[in-house]
Amino acid sequence: MSGNVELLNASLARAKAEDRAALIAYLPAGFPTVDGGIEAVKAVVAGGADIVEVGLPHSDPVLDGPVIQTADDIALRGGVKIADVMRTVREAHEATGVPILVMTYWNPIDRYGVERFTAELAEAGGAGCILPDLPVQESALWREHADKHGLATVSVVAPSSKDERLATITAAGSGFVYAASLMGVTGTRESVGEQAQDLVTRTRATTSLPVCVGLGVSNARQAAEVAGFADGVIVGSAFVKAMLDAPDERSGLAAVRSLAGELAEGVRKR
């Protein structure tokens, strides 16, 4: 079975045709439970998210700040496995019809087996993967299997990336480019900053892929700011925090749906 890279491409193209940025939501699998995580994906899509990244919880999440680390810890203590991530992708995609990506570090895939992982992700209806710690020069094996199974390989670029390096990274990617708005870990911030706009400009000079900005966006004002210069706005920690701060799961689902609605309005105001 082929994955849904074309659905991802179509979703980004549709947002562009509507003269707006796409809203991309991140939520970890297995948080607060596997079933609760699936419901959370449904809730953000009901609120207005165009694309969802499902996080594969990891015991050493070097890119993630304290909010996502806390959620990952809850998921891991709940016994979440890669099979649960695949189930989350499958059930969330079947229920919503939107493209679902997996965001993960390389080690779990390497241990699980690249062929097995890509085949199962495609069979589950996944659209691709974001691998923030896999260097482009070591990504050939992954890309071979991802391409074979119709999965996007979303490249990650940072403000520290030199122009030549940007070109190398984006040439190996597909789907879209994930532009980290600043150096550091995930989390909400007061300002997304000028670094992000400069990075988007430099990245666009190297590729025709859409460039989507993540790290730091947490409200409609920031979403509108980023949507003014990026093709997509990626929000993770703010959704996870809304779930963590809620007194119960039902309230958490209502909170993430509401936040998605506010952010969806923001990306349309640009």
Side-chain angles (χ1 to χ4, degrees):
M1 180 172 176
S2 182
N4 271 313
V5 64
E6 292 306 327
L7 178 63
L8 174 64
N9 295 338
S11 298
L12 289 159
R14 184 170 64 249
K16 184 176 183 179
E18 294 172 3
D19 193 32
R20 65 176 179 87
L23 175 60
I24 303 174
Y26 167 91
L27 290 161
F31 167 74
T33 60
V34 176
D35 288 342
I38 293 166
E39 293 305 312
V41 175
K42 294 178 189 176
V44 294
V45 174
D50 300 288
I51 297 162
V52 179
E53 300 172 8
V54 169
L56 195 163
H58 194 270
S59 56
D60 187 25
V62 292
L63 186 70
D64 297 312
V67 170
I68 291 175
Q69 283 185 22
T70 299
D72 276 6
D73 186 55
I74 290 168
L76 290 167
R77 283 192 281 114
V80 71
K81 300 285 192 295
I82 287 179
D84 299 310
V85 177
M86 297 300 178
R87 182 186 150 212
T88 300
V89 171
R90 176 182 291 103
E91 294 189 16
H93 174 62
E94 287 175 353
T96 65
V98 305
I100 312 282
L101 299 136
V102 170
M103 186 162 190
T104 177
Y105 297 99
W106 175 244
N107 183 255
I109 294 178
D110 192 35
R111 287 170 55 194
Y112 196 73
V114 182
E115 170 58 25
R116 180 184 177 196
F117 188 93
T118 51
E120 290 183 8
L121 182 56
E123 193 275 329
C129 240
I130 304 162
L131 297 156
D133 67 336
L134 179 63
V136 66
Q137 63 270 24
E138 296 173 22
S139 67
L141 178 66
W142 162 265
R143 287 186 283 120
E144 175 192 338
H145 288 288
D147 290 347
K148 181 171 77 172
H149 290 290
L151 299 169
T153 298
V154 176
S155 304
V156 181
V157 297
S160 60
S161 304
K162 305 297 184 191
D163 291 353
E164 186 180 349
R165 178 71 176 162
L166 285 176
T168 302
I169 293 170
T170 59
S174 55
F176 65 91
V177 181
Y178 186 127
S181 66
L182 66 166
M183 301 303 293
V185 297
T186 58
T188 61
R189 290 172 173 81
E190 289 301 310
S191 173
V192 179
E194 292 178 14
Q195 272 190 323
Q197 188 164 0
D198 175 66
L199 178 58
V200 170
T201 301
R202 293 194 298 117
T203 303
R204 280 196 175 131
T206 71
T207 181
S208 59
L209 290 172
V211 183
C212 305
V213 171
L215 270 63
V217 177
S218 60
N219 57 47
R221 176 185 59 79
Q222 291 173 331
E225 176 193 349
V226 173
F229 58 82
D231 300 297
V233 179
I234 304 168
V235 181
S237 294
F239 284 122
V240 176
K241 188 174 188 301
M243 293 283 287
L244 285 169
D245 289 349
D248 53 59
E249 188 175 305
R250 186 174 176 182
S251 302
L253 295 174
V256 295
R257 179 172 179 163
S258 175
L259 176 59
E262 293 169 20
L263 293 163
E265 270 189 44
V267 299
R268 284 162 173 80
K269 286 178 180 172
R270 44 197 318 166

